[in-house]
Structure formats: C-alpha cells, structure tokens
Amino acid sequence: MTTAPPTPPDTDAVAFVAALRRLKAWSGLSYRQLERRATQAGHTLPYSTASTMLGRDRLPREQLVAAFMAACGVRADDAQAWLDARMTIACGRPPETTRTTRNRRFWQPRWALACAVVLVTTLLGGASAAGAFTEDVEVEETQTSLHLPRS
C-alpha cells in the first residue's frame, strides 16, 4: 500500500461502489482478512456481507462503509471523506442557487401569493392599530367630549 487510496466519488451509488471495489483491490486483502481487521478495529463486517456489498450497485449502509474503511486501513480523515460522499449520494446535493435563480423563483405564483398575503396582513394590522376601523360615532363622541370643532 505505497500509493494513496482511491478517492470517493459523490456522484451516484454505482460509482461509489465501483470505488469501494478499487479500495478493496488497493488494500490487497481478502474478504476473510477484511472481516478479521474490521473486528480488530471494533466493527462488524462479515466476509459475506462485504462480498455482497461490493457485488451490488446499491449504496451500502453507513455502518458498513465505516467498517470497510477501518478494515482496509484507511486513515480517519480519508474515511470521513468516504462517509461524507456516501451521505451526499444518499441525501442528494443541495440545489445550487444563483442570484438569477433566486430572483426568478421569487416571482413564481406561489411566492407572489404568499407575499401578497403577508403584505395585506401587515397593512390590515397596521391600519387596525392606527384606528382606521373605528366607528364614526366614537370619533364624534370623542370630539364632543373634548370640545373640539367638528370637521
């Protein structure tokens, strides 16, 4: 193991499992040796599970990837990169937004409706607080009791 281990792709499950296969080849270990090394590192990785994991094109569970990293002898920071790549594939990439995309989305109908509702609610709340919805009788009575000229 004089070369660096393969880097994890974060594009899709097929590429990720293919990279795990390259990692096994890089380690030079058999499935039985991987099982023993995983156990020594405090993980559980039956040889049959490791074989099945590398024989499929589905994304393996996080615990299996962690056990496989430990068994292959991958350093902690490199192992974390593999786990992060797995998480990115499992959860999907966050959408990349640009200024143009954000502005365009703002004016979509549902956003416009939501903004209109907020605007109307704010205006009605402000008008209510300012007394715009008081009865004329109340205003007249107040002006009379203060002896103000009627308008």
Side-chain angles (χ1 to χ4, degrees), residues 10 18 24-25 29 40 50 56 60 65 72 76 79 84 87-88 96 99 106 118 132 140:
D10 59 1
K24 181 193 176 294
L29 300 171
Q40 291 169 353
R56 293 182 179 169
V65 174
C72 287
D84 292 344
M87 184 65 71
T88 300
E96 295 185 25
R99 185 177 183 94
F106 179 79
V118 168
E140 203 171 293

Side-chain angles (χ1 to χ4, degrees), residues 88-100:
T88 300
I89 295 168
C91 297
R93 290 189 177 277
E96 295 185 25
T97 59
T98 61
R99 185 177 183 94
T100 313

Side-chain angles (χ1 to χ4, degrees), residues 10-34:
D10 59 1
T11 53
D12 63 4
V14 174
F16 188 82
V17 174
L20 287 175
R21 287 185 205 113
R22 286 191 301 277
L23 183 61
K24 181 193 176 294
W26 171 82
S27 74
L29 300 171
S30 70
Y31 289 111
R32 297 260 184 199
Q33 291 170 318
L34 287 172

Side-chain angles (χ1 to χ4, degrees), residues 70-124:
C72 287
V74 176
R75 291 187 334 230
D77 55 336
D78 291 334
Q80 188 58 51
W82 281 87
L83 293 172
D84 292 344
R86 187 217 168 271
M87 184 65 71
T88 300
I89 295 168
C91 297
R93 290 189 177 277
E96 295 185 25
T97 59
T98 61
R99 185 177 183 94
T100 313
T101 310
R102 276 189 305 224
N103 290 341
R104 196 174 325 131
R105 275 191 310 194
F106 179 79
W107 293 110
Q108 288 178 351
R110 64 178 169 215
W111 283 103
L113 177 62
C115 290
V117 168
V118 168
L119 179 64
V120 168
T121 304
T122 303
L123 290 175
L124 288 176

Side-chain angles (χ1 to χ4, degrees), residues 6 17 33-35 49 55 62 75 79 106 126 129 143 146 149-150:
V17 174
Q33 291 170 318
L34 287 172
E35 180 180 21
T49 303
E62 184 176 2
R75 291 187 334 230
F106 179 79
Q143 289 176 347
L146 293 175
R150 292 188 183 191

